[in-house]
Amino acid sequence: MKTDIILAGVGGQGILSIATVIGQAALEENLYIKQAEVHGMSQRGGDVQSNLRLSDKPIASDLIALGQADIIIAMEPMEALRYRHYLSPDGWIITTSNAFVNIGNYPDQQAVLDELREMKNVIMFDGEKLAQENGVARSVNMILLGAASKALGSISFEKLEDSVRTIFGRKGEKVVEDNLKALAIGRECE
């Protein structure tokens, strides 16, 4: 079993939290894990990308080759498209439909969404709306992780929940509960 994941978004959207929760859960499942250096996090609003590799066998490299990613988890639709050349033919893209327009030459938003809709194996939803409607406005990233949870292979949803409790525990019970709620909301997205 192996699962190669590209995590993509914009600085400040919570990509590192998604990686941390998946990593902690993978360790609890006794999986091997390698994460490539995260690029872009030094600038809020800059693009952020990381490779996360999980396996039941030792992993030689922390980088995912072109056409080999099983999953792209993207907080922003253009970032999902930016890394699509890494996706395997049967891979999944899980992304929000919410554009983070922080550059003057951001492509036409409707064209970006249309291109994603034409691809196979795409789960796309309005994460901001779901978060607002459910009172977890700061947890869009955990909604996205919940939506990706079915594609994570041998990581159980319960281990993701335990990981959320561990990672966010020092921030207080309200933060933990909001993130668990967001994870459950995302689990229902299809």
Side-chain angles (χ1 to χ4, degrees), residues 25-91:
L27 291 174
E28 292 298 320
E29 295 280 13
N30 294 313
L31 296 174
Y32 292 91
I33 179 171
K34 287 224 180 196
Q35 182 176 0
E37 181 178 335
V38 176
H39 297 280
M41 69 181 202
S42 63
Q43 177 184 350
R44 186 176 273 304
D47 95 269
V48 177
Q49 181 269 340
S50 181
N51 288 228
L52 186 61
R53 304 190 73 204
L54 314 171
S55 179
D56 58 354
K57 296 178 177 59
I59 303 166
S61 172
D62 55 359
L63 296 177
I64 299 169
L66 293 175
Q68 297 301 306
D70 299 297
I71 309 167
I72 294 174
I73 300 174
M75 288 291 300
E76 203 277 340
M78 184 182 75
E79 295 302 323
L81 289 178
R82 182 190 309 262
Y83 296 102
R84 70 180 174 259
H85 55 284
Y86 282 93
L87 195 63
S88 72
D90 294 321

Side-chain angles (χ1 to χ4, degrees), residues 80-110:
L81 289 178
R82 182 190 309 262
Y83 296 102
R84 70 180 174 259
H85 55 284
Y86 282 93
L87 195 63
S88 72
D90 294 321
W92 282 85
I93 292 177
I94 296 100
T95 184
T96 68
S97 59
N98 309 105
F100 188 92
V101 182
N102 61 340
I103 55 174
N105 62 344
Y106 192 97
D108 178 72
Q109 292 177 40
Q110 191 59 53

Side-chain angles (χ1 to χ4, degrees), residues 5 7 15-35 52-54 142 145 152 154-170 180 183:
I5 306 165
L7 301 163
I15 289 296
L16 295 179
S17 293
I18 292 173
T20 303
V21 170
I22 292 172
Q24 176 68 33
L27 291 174
E28 292 298 320
E29 295 280 13
N30 294 313
L31 296 174
Y32 292 91
I33 179 171
K34 287 224 180 196
Q35 182 176 0
L52 186 61
R53 304 190 73 204
L54 314 171
M142 289 300 112
L145 176 56
L152 290 176
S154 65
I155 296 180
S156 72
F157 190 72
E158 292 74 25
K159 292 293 186 198
L160 289 173
E161 291 175 316
D162 291 345
S163 184
V164 165
R165 289 182 189 95
T166 300
I167 301 303
F168 294 105
R170 64 180 173 80
L180 287 172
L183 197 66

